Amino acid sequence: MSRLELNAPNKSQLVVEGLYKDLERRIEASPPGLCPVDMSRAFLELCHAQTCGKCVPCRVGLGQLKNLLTDVLDGNATIQTLGLIRSTSETIMESANCAIGYEAARMVYEGVEGFRDDYLEHIMYHRCLSTLDLPVPCVSLCPAGVDIPGYIALVREGRYEDAIRLIRKDNPFPTTCGFICEHPCEARCRRNMMDDAVNIRGLKRMAADKAGYVAPPECQEPTGKKIAIVGGGPGGLSAAYYLQLMGHEVTVFEMLSKLGGMLRYGIPNYRLPKNRLDDDIQAILDTGVKVEHGKRIGKDFSVEDLRAEYDAVLITIGASTDKKLGLEGEDAQGVISAVSFLRGVGHNQYPDLNGKEVAVIGGGNVSMDAVRTAKRLGAKKVSIVYRRRVADMTALSAEIEGAIAEGIEVQTLRAPSKIELDENGHVKGIWVTPQMISKIKDGRASVVPTGEKDILIPCEYLIVAIGQDIEYHHFEKSGVPVLRGRIKTENYGGFDEIPGVFAGGDCATGPSTVISAIAAGKVIAANIDEYLGYRHEITVDVDIPDPSLEDRTPCGRVNMIEREASERVNDFDGVEMCMSEKESCQEAGRCLRCDHFGYGIFKGGRDVKW
C-alpha cells in the first residue's frame, strides 16, 4: 500500500475547468449596454458558490444580498431595500473572515454608489435603462463610432473602395488607423466567446492597401461661413474634413511645414510610413480645405484676431511639449525629450547615436517609439528605464514585445533619482533607486523604494518620455479657460463665455490616442455646424452585404506578420506586413455580424448618418 498518491484531476473537474474557461471568455466579451444590477447579481452568485461556508457573513450574508438584488430586478423592492443592500454589504465587508466575502460585498457596495440611478430605475419605474439601447460592442467602443461590421463585410467581398468610403463617414484617416490605431473596438468583440477577437485593425489595413486612392464625396452647397482651425493634427484635420463636406469654408493654420501633427512628427516611419499618411491627408485636402503653414498662434495671430475674421474658431493644437523629470542637470547636453527627439527624426534630422549607449525613461508608446528609433540610428545599447513593472506599462503589448525582439534592454522597478554628468557637462549616466511593488491604489499597484543603494545606468544620451503638455499661456491671456495645463471646455467642446470658439483633442483631454482625437474632431464639427445655424448630415451610399447564414465554427485569429527583427532594425521601412486576400477573407468571415444577429437588429440597424 502506498503512503501517498499523486492526485490527477477527474473527469468532472476537467469539465468544470473548461466551464471556467468559457466563463472567462464570456466576461471578456461582456459588451457595454448590459444591466449593471443584473451583472452584479450574477457575479455575486458566483462568489457565493466559491465560499467555504465557515463564516456567517459569507454563508448567510451573501445569500441575503443576492435575494435583495433579485427583489430589485423582479420589481419587488422599495427605496428602503436600497439602503438595506448598502448596509448589508458594509456589514459583510467589515465582518467576513477572508477576502472572498469581502470582495463580493465590496463589488455590490461600489455598485450601489456607482450606478445608483440604475437601481432607482428598477425600484421606482420597474424598468432597465440598459435594455433601451443594446449597442454593437465594437461600434460602441470605437470613439469615432465607425461602422465596423459593415466594412468588415465589404472587405470579405473584396469591395475595398466601398469599405474606405464607409469608414470615412466617421473617420477620415482609414489608412493611418490601419497602421497605428490602438483598436479599442477589439476589447469586447463577441468573437472572444468562441476563440479570439476579430483582427479589426488588420482588416482596415487590408482595405486601405487594396483600395488605393479613393476620392472624397462631393461637398454640400456652400454656406458662406468661414471657419479657422488652429492645428493640423488628426483632430483638426478631421474637423476640417467634415466641416468642408458640410459646405463651410475651412482654413487650417499649421505652425510646421507639413500637416499631420504628432502623426508625422511623433510616430516613426517604421510604424506609419509617411507616404501612407499623405494619402489620408490628400483626400482631406481634396475637399477644398485651405492650409496656411508656418503660422503659430500667440506669435503670428491671436484668438481675438481669428474671432474677428471667422465665424467660428477651433483650437486643436495637440500636446506637443514635454514634461520634465524635475532632476538637477536635466538641461545638460545629451538630455533630450522624446517629443523633440522624434520631431527631429520626423524632420530628417538624425542625431549621431552610432556606437553610443542610450537610456529612455518612461513606459508609454512614445518611449517605445524613442527606444526603437534610437536602435535604428545605430545605438550600441538602448535601455528602457521604468519605475514600475512591464505589466504596468501603458504602451501596447505588441510595441513592448517588438522592442524586446529588437534587442532593447528593459530595466523595470527603477526610479530616476539623479543625472550624472562628466567634466564637460555632458550626461554620462542616470542614477536610479530600486523599487518594489506595494499597495494597490486606484486599481494600480504603487511602488516604494526597497532601501537598496542607487544604481548607475551609463548612457551618453538620456531621452525623457514621461508625458506631454500643451503650450497654454497664450490662451490664458486670451481669456480661454485653462485648468491644470489643459484647455477646459464644456461637454460640447465650446465655451459658454466665448461663443464661436471651440477646442478639442489632446489640448483639452491631455495626450490620448489617434482615434480619440479623430472622434473629437467629428463631434466638434457637428457642434460647430449647429452653432452656425445648420444641421447638415454626413452619410454614405454604400450597400452592406447581407450576412451569411453559414455556421461560425471556432477558428484561429489571423495576426499581422512582421519583418525579422534582425533585418528591420537596420532601416525605417515598415515593420508590419499586410494580410493576404485569403487571410483577410477568412478573418472577415469570423465576424459574428452583431449588427444583424441580435444587438443591431434591436436598435433598428446601423447608423447610416450623423
Side-chain angles (χ1 to χ4, degrees), residues 371-425:
V371 292
R372 297 177 75 178
T373 297
K375 187 71 175 179
R376 284 162 171 77
L377 293 177
K380 177 179 68 175
K381 179 183 178 183
V382 185
S383 303
I384 297 172
V385 181
Y386 187 55
R387 64 193 294 264
R388 298 177 186 269
R389 305 165 298 180
V390 170
D392 301 314
M393 287 182 173
T394 57
L396 292 173
S397 57
E399 288 299 307
I400 300 171
E401 292 166 7
I404 293 173
E406 292 172 4
I408 306 301
E409 180 183 61
V410 180
Q411 296 212 33
T412 56
L413 295 173
R414 300 284 187 264
S417 59
K418 180 182 176 183
I419 297 174
E420 183 80 7
L421 306 179
D422 62 18
E423 60 276 6
N424 298 318

Side-chain angles (χ1 to χ4, degrees), residues 323-331 335 416-419 464 466:
K323 287 186 176 180
K324 301 293 185 180
L325 284 170
L327 299 178
E328 186 178 349
E330 195 165 3
D331 297 323
V335 182
S417 59
K418 180 182 176 183
I419 297 174
V464 181
I466 59 171

Side-chain angles (χ1 to χ4, degrees), residues 12-55:
S12 62
Q13 187 60 37
L14 291 173
V15 172
V16 169
E17 291 295 329
L19 292 175
Y20 267 117
K21 292 294 183 183
D22 291 340
L23 180 61
E24 288 173 10
R25 289 199 295 268
R26 284 273 176 177
I27 294 172
E28 186 178 359
S30 297
L34 298 181
C35 173
V37 181
D38 198 15
M39 289 290 289
S40 293
R41 184 184 64 170
F43 283 122
L44 184 61
E45 285 184 304
L46 176 63
C47 295
H48 194 201
Q50 293 175 331
T51 63
C52 67
K54 178 182 176 183
C55 67

Side-chain angles (χ1 to χ4, degrees), residues 250-324:
V250 180
T251 302
V252 175
F253 295 89
E254 170 57 45
M255 67 178 184
L256 300 174
S257 59
K258 292 186 177 181
L259 295 171
M262 293 301 286
L263 294 177
R264 184 179 300 279
Y265 299 108
I267 298 178
N269 209 64
Y270 67 83
R271 282 186 63 204
L272 175 60
K274 297 309 175 282
N275 62 318
R276 305 305 304 279
L277 169 63
D278 289 336
D279 292 342
D280 284 336
I281 293 176
Q282 189 58 52
I284 293 171
L285 296 179
D286 286 347
T287 62
V289 173
K290 298 176 183 177
V291 183
E292 291 194 23
H293 290 282
K295 297 295 181 70
R296 181 189 290 269
I297 192 166
K299 177 183 177 184
D300 301 301
F301 56 87
S302 66
V303 173
E304 291 84 355
D305 295 335
L306 295 178
R307 290 186 70 194
E309 186 177 350
Y310 293 88
D311 297 292
V313 178
L314 172 58
I315 303 165
T316 57
I317 59 170
S320 56
T321 63
D322 56 287
K323 287 186 176 180
K324 301 293 185 180

Side-chain angles (χ1 to χ4, degrees), residues 69-78 122-127:
L69 291 180
T70 302
D71 287 343
V72 172
L73 292 168
D74 290 346
N76 299 324
T78 64
H122 281 283
I123 293 171
M124 298 174 65
Y125 305 109
H126 308 299
R127 67 183 183 184

Side-chain angles (χ1 to χ4, degrees), residues 82-155:
L82 190 57
L84 188 56
I85 292 172
R86 192 178 189 277
S87 60
T88 302
S89 58
E90 279 187 301
T91 301
I92 296 172
M93 289 166 61
E94 294 170 357
S95 56
N97 283 355
C98 72
I100 294 176
Y102 173 86
E103 290 296 333
R106 184 182 64 84
M107 176 191 65
V108 176
Y109 177 81
E110 291 187 353
V112 171
E113 298 294 318
F115 42 84
R116 182 182 180 86
D117 289 347
D118 292 273
Y119 275 100
L120 293 176
E121 287 292 334
H122 281 283
I123 293 171
M124 298 174 65
Y125 305 109
H126 308 299
R127 67 183 183 184
C128 179
L129 291 178
S130 63
T131 60
L132 301 179
D133 182 22
L134 295 174
V136 178
C138 56
V139 178
S140 64
L141 288 171
C142 173
V146 175
D147 186 350
I148 292 167
Y151 81 71
I152 287 178
L154 291 166
V155 168

Side-chain angles (χ1 to χ4, degrees), residues 319-599:
S320 56
T321 63
D322 56 287
K323 287 186 176 180
K324 301 293 185 180
L325 284 170
L327 299 178
E328 186 178 349
E330 195 165 3
D331 297 323
Q333 295 179 18
V335 182
I336 56 178
S337 74
V339 172
S340 60
F341 171 66
L342 293 171
R343 181 179 294 163
V345 173
H347 282 291
N348 296 320
Q349 298 169 359
Y350 304 113
D352 181 15
L353 300 183
N354 263 315
K356 294 186 169 60
E357 294 184 346
V358 178
V360 178
I361 299 175
N365 285 322
V366 174
S367 67
M368 297 303 149
D369 289 341
V371 292
R372 297 177 75 178
T373 297
K375 187 71 175 179
R376 284 162 171 77
L377 293 177
K380 177 179 68 175
K381 179 183 178 183
V382 185
S383 303
I384 297 172
V385 181
Y386 187 55
R387 64 193 294 264
R388 298 177 186 269
R389 305 165 298 180
V390 170
D392 301 314
M393 287 182 173
T394 57
L396 292 173
S397 57
E399 288 299 307
I400 300 171
E401 292 166 7
I404 293 173
E406 292 172 4
I408 306 301
E409 180 183 61
V410 180
Q411 296 212 33
T412 56
L413 295 173
R414 300 284 187 264
S417 59
K418 180 182 176 183
I419 297 174
E420 183 80 7
L421 306 179
D422 62 18
E423 60 276 6
N424 298 318
H426 194 284
V427 65
K428 71 172 186 179
I430 177 76
W431 287 93
V432 295
T433 304
Q435 306 287 302
M436 63 177 284
I437 288 298
S438 186
K439 294 180 180 179
I440 293 177
K441 298 177 181 178
D442 299 324
R444 193 180 190 193
S446 60
V447 293
V448 295
T450 63
E452 301 172 25
K453 291 183 179 180
D454 284 7
I455 301 168
L456 177 64
I457 300 175
C459 62
E460 295 157 272
Y461 275 88
L462 180 65
I463 301 174
V464 181
I466 59 171
Q468 296 152 246
D469 281 323
I470 71 165
E471 299 176 2
Y472 61 85
H473 300 292
H474 164 73
F475 301 109
E476 278 187 322
K477 294 177 182 177
S478 299
V480 175
V482 174
L483 179 65
R484 297 177 182 174
R486 305 277 182 266
I487 296 176
K488 188 178 184 303
T489 67
E490 302 299 330
N491 291 337
Y492 60 90
F495 308 94
D496 291 342
E497 304 300 323
I498 318 176
V501 178
F502 297 78
D506 289 357
C507 67
T509 64
S512 188
T513 61
V514 172
I515 191 62
S516 295
I518 292 168
K522 170 186 170 182
V523 168
I524 296 175
N527 293 335
I528 289 177
D529 182 62
E530 189 169 33
Y531 164 77
L532 295 174
Y534 300 90
R535 201 174 185 84
H536 290 100
E537 293 180 343
I538 300 296
T539 186
V540 62
D541 56 346
V542 173
D543 294 326
I544 308 300
D546 292 331
S548 170
L549 297 178
E550 64 188 22
D551 290 341
R552 262 61 166 190
T553 55
C555 179
R557 169 187 166 112
V558 174
N559 286 317
M560 312 283 269
I561 297 174
E562 296 184 342
R563 295 165 57 207
E564 289 189 16
S566 59
E567 173 191 335
R568 70 195 191 215
V569 294
N570 299 313
D571 56 50
F572 280 89
D573 293 342
V575 166
E576 205 173 52
M577 293 185 283
C578 190
M579 298 178 185
S580 67
E581 290 192 41
K582 186 175 182 180
E583 287 175 324
S584 67
C585 185
Q586 174 179 297
E587 190 63 14
R590 294 177 63 238
C591 177
L592 298 177
R593 289 298 301 270
C594 299
D595 59 316
H596 179 83
F597 298 112
Y599 288 100

